[in-house]
Amino acid sequence: MMPKDPAILLSYVNTKLRDEFPSLSELCAALDADEAALREALAALNYEYDAGRNQFV
């Protein structure tokens, strides 16, 4: 289950991307998460996914 709080979600997702998953799409597939909804939730905090860095920045 993904955290609901956007700030905690950011930390959780970036940690998972750093330690376990080579891309956002693979993370979302493994966790059965909606990638568009995840991007939207973090965009509300002014974070966007950077594929080259494999993290939200």
Side-chain angles (χ1 to χ4, degrees):
M1 175 184 244
M2 302 271 265
K4 299 291 184 196
D5 180 273
I8 295 172
L9 178 63
L10 172 65
S11 178
Y12 175 81
V13 168
N14 274 343
T15 298
K16 289 284 192 186
L17 289 169
R18 182 190 67 221
D19 295 344
E20 298 178 38
F21 297 98
S23 70
L24 180 59
S25 61
E26 289 188 35
L27 177 143
C28 290
L31 300 179
D32 195 29
D34 181 336
E35 184 173 340
L38 178 59
R39 287 177 180 265
E40 187 177 314
L42 295 179
L45 294 176
N46 296 316
Y47 282 86
E48 291 183 14
Y49 180 66
D50 181 334
R53 296 173 70 178
N54 193 35
Q55 67 181 24
F56 280 86
V57 293

